[in-house]
Amino acid sequence: MGTMVSYQISEFGGRVEPVRQPIPEPVGREVLLRVTHAGVCHSDLHIADGYYDLGHGSRLTLGDRGISLPHTMGHEVLGVVERAGPDAEGVPTGAPALVHPWIGCMNCGECRRGQENHCAAPQSLGVFRPGGYAEYILVPDPKFLVDIGDLDPAAVTPYACSGVTVYSALKKARPVADDEWLVIMGCGGLGLAAIAIAAGLGIVNILACDIDGAKLEAAGSMATGTLDISRADALDRLREVTGGGPRAVVDTVGAQNTSSIGIGSLVKGGRYVIVGLFGGALELPLPSLPLRAVSILGSYTGSLAELRELIALVKTGAIPQIPVTTRPLAEVDSALADLREGRVVGRVVLTA
């Protein structure tokens, strides 16, 4: 069987450290992949901390949500098939594949409808099951493996989370007509992916918003315009740039400031879609929602079908490439620290 190294947290708030353990043996329809690439996602910081900030001093504790320790994080995973269980027929050994990590119970109505990311009993890889910060990962079923063709493995790895998450959110935010505006709140890895995919989908007017000059600069080559929302008149300026307000806002930050500016800027009938998990609370005068006819939508990751749609779009060459930096898998703890301190522009992908 042999052993492998995985990088685990043993306590919330602690460091990610290497642990040697047996390589798992696939049974049934399981597939064992040797991990070659693993993306570093901001959600891993919340998992490592052990909570989400709900605002007003309240927290959603992830131990109570079903995350047990020790735990191997990493939900943006690409690898090659090592071997498969006896019921997983026709899985080619050595084939590279992107892993769809948003797995449910595979039995409920949501799972049967292909919306496993909405399952009430999720088994997401890197969240509830061992993830890709390891030399090997066990995938429950070959249907969760997505063919990447000739795409660059490092560039495609983040599509398993940041890509499919914003792709799903953009589907909810559309349609945005050619004379209307889409606003992306945040130009971190998630926001840059949203801008690139929105451009690939043919959205004409895209305004990228952030408070970090380096991230706004990275967004500038793909977006129609950029806006520093740390300025005191950010809301007024956003309305001015977009000719009265955007048709849709996709908030990849999910903070009190981005939500208040985003929702406040919308035209009548506009849509605010939130995917970011920074934290805090949202307070609105309730009559403003029907009077302005705005929609507030939460969007959680994406489905397997949406990931396949996205990879097909990527293969056409329509989506601009965002900055991706590669680092050795052994540097996962320092990579997460750099992400926490805002030193990452684009995405970091760890390589074996």
Side-chain angles (χ1 to χ4, degrees):
M1 179 185 296
T3 62
M4 70 176 189
V5 174
S6 61
Y7 295 84
Q8 300 182 347
I9 51 170
S10 57
E11 61 178 348
F12 291 124
R15 291 175 57 86
V16 179
E17 297 181 327
V19 175
R20 186 161 289 280
Q21 59 186 138
I23 298 173
E25 188 66 28
V27 299
R29 291 185 56 78
E30 293 176 338
V31 182
L32 180 71
L33 270 71
R34 176 174 55 83
V35 176
T36 60
H37 298 78
V40 178
C41 182
H42 202 279
S43 296
D44 288 327
L45 297 180
H46 296 292
I47 296 172
D49 290 341
Y51 68 91
Y52 292 113
D53 177 6
L54 301 181
H56 304 299
S58 297
R59 291 180 172 182
L60 172 61
T61 303
L62 299 187
D64 295 336
R65 192 168 177 249
I67 296 177
S68 58
L69 300 179
H71 178 59
T72 304
M73 299 185 295
H75 49 270
E76 294 179 347
V77 187
L78 190 146
V80 296
V81 175
E82 283 285 306
R83 53 186 176 271
D87 299 329
E89 299 177 356
V91 182
T93 301
L98 183 66
V99 179
H100 177 72
W102 310 112
I103 295 167
C105 68
M106 295 191 276
N107 293 313
C108 70
E110 293 288 359
C111 289
R112 291 194 299 271
R113 285 188 289 271
Q115 294 290 333
E116 292 189 319
N117 54 315
H118 292 170
C119 178
Q123 298 296 314
S124 307
L125 299 174
V127 182
F128 299 103
R129 295 173 60 119
Y133 294 161
E135 293 178 324
Y136 294 88
I137 187 171
L138 200 61
V139 179
D141 193 285
K143 73 178 183 179
F144 298 116
L145 304 181
V146 178
D147 176 33
I148 65 167
D150 297 327
L151 296 174
D152 176 8
V156 79
T157 296
Y159 288 120
C161 177
S162 63
V164 74
T165 293
V166 295
Y167 178 74
S168 185
L170 287 165
K171 288 175 68 174
K172 298 176 179 69
R174 296 170 76 194
V176 177
D178 288 353
D179 60 347
E180 297 178 325
W181 282 81
L182 167 71
V183 166
I184 304 297
M185 284 289 173
C187 298
L190 201 59
L192 289 178
I195 296 164
I197 293 170
L201 290 169
I203 295 177
V204 174
N205 298 311
I206 305 168
L207 181 66
C209 299
D210 205 291
I211 61 174
D212 185 303
K215 293 175 181 177
L216 286 170
E217 183 178 355
S221 63
M222 300 182 292
T224 313
T226 62
L227 178 65
D228 181 350
I229 56 170
S230 66
R231 51 190 293 168
D233 63 345
L235 178 56
D236 290 338
R237 180 62 180 149
L238 196 160
R239 287 175 177 150
E240 179 184 345
V241 171
T242 58
R247 170 58 55 190
V249 173
V250 173
D251 189 346
T252 70
V253 181
Q256 198 158 338
N257 186 46
T258 58
S259 64
S260 62
I261 295 174
I263 296 170
S265 69
L266 289 169
V267 295
K268 191 168 186 177
R271 296 174 292 280
Y272 169 81
V273 185
I274 177 171
V275 298
L277 295 166
F278 182 87
L282 173 64
E283 295 188 13
L284 285 172
L286 291 176
S288 70
L289 297 179
L291 288 173
R292 296 177 59 210
V294 297
S295 301
I296 299 175
L297 303 171
S299 187
Y300 181 71
T301 67
S303 67
L304 175 58
E306 288 174 325
L307 180 57
R308 294 190 187 281
E309 291 171 8
L310 174 59
I311 297 303
L313 180 62
V314 174
K315 288 178 179 178
T316 69
I319 299 178
Q321 177 58 51
I322 71 169
V324 173
T325 303
T326 59
R327 298 173 64 168
L329 179 59
E331 294 184 11
V332 56
D333 193 66
S334 59
L336 286 166
D338 287 344
L339 182 62
R340 187 185 297 278
E341 296 302 319
R343 294 190 287 263
V344 174
V345 176
R347 299 295 273 194
V348 171
V349 172
L350 307 172
T351 58

